[in-house]
Amino acid sequence: MQIRVSVNGTEYVRDVEPRLLLVHLLRDDLGLTGTHWGCDTSNCGACAVWLDEQPVKACTVLAVMAEGHRVRTIESLESRSGLDQVQRSFIACHGLQCGFCTPGMLMTARWLLDHNPSPTEADVREAIVGQTCRCTGYENIVRSVLHAAEAEAGRFPERGQEPGIVQVPL
């Protein structure tokens, strides 16, 4: 089947098998390997992407279901001006360990903050309930999302100057 899909603002037309999962289209066909494929059962959430501004698990969506829709992946978070605040906060607050769940956590966190700029700890925990982290126990992940909310609310003096961020020249 031929599909047309917008991924991170770029239009793609692809011939795909009807049974192809969105996660495989993204990783194998488009080379966007930031979206992790973890369990293939929709349990872990490492493959979370946005489909028309809603988080979905890409291992539960067929590529043909994305026909005519907009997909946003982890690769879209970084811009010309640098890392997204959520990414910077995960670094500052040690919200990642092995990094496997991180793309799904970041996409879910970004969605939450776009829809609720002042979440409570309970809001964050509810938003990430579909994500499995095997390393951190979630404390630093929750702290990272709350840190990002504080930073975006302007509670830090200057972008990139949040407590705990080490500036490393490239």
Side-chain angles (χ1 to χ4, degrees), residues 125-138:
R125 290 186 181 280
E126 183 177 332
I128 64 171
V129 74
Q131 281 24 75
T132 300
C133 175
R134 293 172 178 94
C135 302
T136 68
Y138 302 94

Side-chain angles (χ1 to χ4, degrees), residues 15-64:
D15 288 318
V16 299
E17 291 186 32
R19 66 177 185 227
L20 182 71
L21 294 172
L22 180 58
V23 68
H24 295 304
L25 174 73
L26 296 171
R27 291 181 57 80
D28 303 336
D29 191 349
L30 303 181
L32 298 172
T33 57
T35 300
H36 290 171
W37 178 40
C39 64
D40 206 23
T41 61
S42 79
N43 288 320
C44 75
C47 65
V49 298
W50 293 7
L51 184 63
D52 290 338
E53 307 301 318
Q54 287 295 319
V56 297
K57 294 177 182 179
C59 74
T60 64
V61 176
L62 295 171
V64 295

